Amino acid sequence: NKDTSKLTIAASNNFALFSLNTDGTIESQPYSGYITENPKLIAVNNGYNKNIKGALFITYTPDSSSFYMSGVCSTGSAFWREGQVWKVDVATRTAQKWFALTSNYNTNPGTGSNFAYTALHGTAVDDSHHVFLCNRVSNQVMVLDSNANVIKTISVLYPDAVEYDKSTGALYVATRFGMQSAAGNVKLLKFNNWRTDIKPAYTVKLCDVFMSILSRDRVYILIRGTGASKRIWVAFKDIGAQIFKESGDTLELVKDFYQSGKKQRFLGFQRMTADPVTENLYIASGDNEIFKLTDWNTMGFAKCSLDVVPPAKFMAVGFGVDDRQIVAPDVTIDARNRYLYAPMHPNYSAAYRFTLDGQYHKFAPINSSGSSKVSGLLITNESDGCLYRDRGLVPSPDGGIVSVYGWGSAVNDYQNVHLQYHYINPVTGDSIKIDIDSLGGRTGGVRMDLKGNVYAGARLGPAWTAPDSVPPGYAGDDGYRVNIGKIYKYTPTGTFEPGKLFNNTSRLAPAKVYNVGYGRLPVDANGFNPRFGVDYYGRIYYPNSLTQTVAVMDNEGNQLLSFGAYGNLDAWLSAQTNPSTTSIVPLSWPNSVDATEDYIYVADYVNSGVVRMKKEYVLDNLSGSSFGHVVAEGNKVRSIQSRILSVYPNPFRMKNVIQLNSGKEGPGTVKVYDLRGRVLAVLADGLITSGLHTFEWDGRKQAAGIYFVKVQINGNSYQKRIVKY
């Protein structure tokens, strides 16, 4: 926006304009029409080939009275056909054709070999009204005068964006190469004098990328400052935002906005699952990489990598940084049996099993042949790298997998998503695939409880029907009505015997529908595939990214609590430095939620971070109880306690395992109590050596209810609540 006090955003589906102030406030009338009003740049209809295509490029004229617009097109409109540049009057937003290629082009960005590219891309302008235009068809940067006459061309391979430095007259061109599911790169070129130079003064490769690109993707370049203070800003989704300064004939990185932890690039917080035993998090970026967070002190994310270099068939082109990396778009775990599951390359068409614990993961074979494949065909969307390709999977207690993927045999059957049960017989290798229910295209997330009940996030029913309940301010909001779904519960038809959890021959109806605002769910192929959590008590933790909230309900659907309000990183900083100023949890796009005994975890996609909420139970604070709030090692509470003492499974039915990780040797006791404080079992009493100790408590003789395991060692106390059902 030329008004530096405002930021204007163009909606992706119709380029309606939304403005907000740069101080974070929003005016009472934030909508200000469309980017063009006469004629409007809107989709001709909802047909796939008639939508608005391409990435939007805007460049203002020197007097700011008009702007040049390129990169976009509407394949169903002659006026907005591809291969043109339009000049738009700022006051009236009247668009006129300003320049057009002589031939009609129809690369149909969004499909085929020219995915995400139109014929003409970025523009720039100098004070003499020369317009610089990226022509991807001819691999040129074209120079046009104020009358749209071509006066010069500069050969540049794959030009994407261009910026003119008014202080020096230099021309900067970003090039971008790469087709969907193929390796590509992003480079920055500098031409000192566009009038005479035929070769760039320097070429700097900014990144190699395994392209998972959308039709609106583009590189951004900004030049700010002059002389020694001059800075070059470059942004692209696979490299984040970076600031450079020139150093001779190359660039020197000044700041990288996506560096964190061990300076790894972690760009997506799409799908997340929490380990209730270790409090470790496993996160899928949505771009073929899965990570884990195992140290809450350093907060460093580590790639989930194998102990050996996998066979070539499991390796994807473009992932050469870590040859042992598990290349997968989704991840889930079996905390009880200590396995990790992921739909691994090739083509992510089946789920594989790996060991969970340790720095590196190993293939975990299911039979003597050494195969770690645990599912039949998982139908995915299109090809590698699609952010919306996977919809979720979860291991079942009988050794199978339940997934939310396409159905049939078509690889890109992403709009015909089904809830499926998979089992591979470890002896015969026979694959079982049972259709539980059809969920359509608006789906995301699947979980299972201890009884084998399956929970799926979906939007069943007509696309344009309103949800049963709409929060204040969202009545009549088509975006809310279309995108928000519900959670459905399905009861297994079989037993816990291997391969017998589901045996139905016809589709099942949901046993229960939780009429809550869940999502944002994908619309056909678009969206972010949210994830929800179900704990061992049957409580359900789910996000609503449109209201920026997370809610918790019991298994009957009664809401227990809700938290969250819109907030960015500035709001988090304010809350941390002065906690008394806010009682809310700042969230921007809560996309994935999970919970353990002690914590609720929220993956915030837009804020690129994970929020960890510590649970406080009424029972922890009962006055006069032997089991009040325990403080371990000074003021460090559950974050330390959960690492020293863990119980699994919890809740349990027969027996459970208690693990104590003692930091140093000393006298101590490990005892199990009931709610009255009576000792039910003494598991250790005496000298406890340093290291990991494992105890088993047989609670079969005890009634269902709440119990406690309490550890006292070296003057410190630790306790865990145990639930028997």
Side-chain angles (χ1 to χ4, degrees), residues 26 35 55 79 121 132 175 183 209 256 302 319 341 343 465 483 524 558 593 614 633 709:
I26 299 176
I35 197 166
F79 183 86
H121 268 223
F132 307 93
T175 65
V209 291
D256 186 341
F319 283 89
Y341 295 83
T465 57
N483 290 291
D524 296 327
N558 302 306
V593 179
K614 185 175 67 177
E633 296 186 4
V709 56

Side-chain angles (χ1 to χ4, degrees), residues 180-193:
Q180 186 181 11
S181 72
N185 57 59
V186 177
K187 299 178 182 178
L188 185 66
L189 288 61
K190 177 187 178 181
F191 294 87
N192 289 326
N193 189 329

Side-chain angles (χ1 to χ4, degrees), residues 616-682:
E616 290 289 348
Y617 295 89
V618 174
L619 190 61
D620 287 335
N621 300 295
L622 291 178
S623 61
S625 170
S626 300
F627 306 101
H629 192 72
V630 175
V631 177
E633 296 186 4
N635 292 322
K636 298 178 182 179
V637 286
R638 294 189 186 275
S639 60
I640 295 291
Q641 185 171 312
S642 62
R643 294 187 173 279
I644 293 176
L645 181 63
S646 61
V647 180
Y648 197 83
N650 189 18
F652 77 106
R653 283 188 294 180
M654 300 176 67
K655 298 179 181 181
N656 58 27
V657 173
I658 299 167
Q659 285 192 330
L660 169 64
N661 194 355
S662 176
K664 60 181 179 179
E665 182 179 284
T669 60
V670 180
K671 299 179 181 180
V672 179
Y673 298 80
D674 64 14
L675 275 174
R676 296 181 180 180
R678 296 179 299 185
V679 177
L680 302 180
V682 179

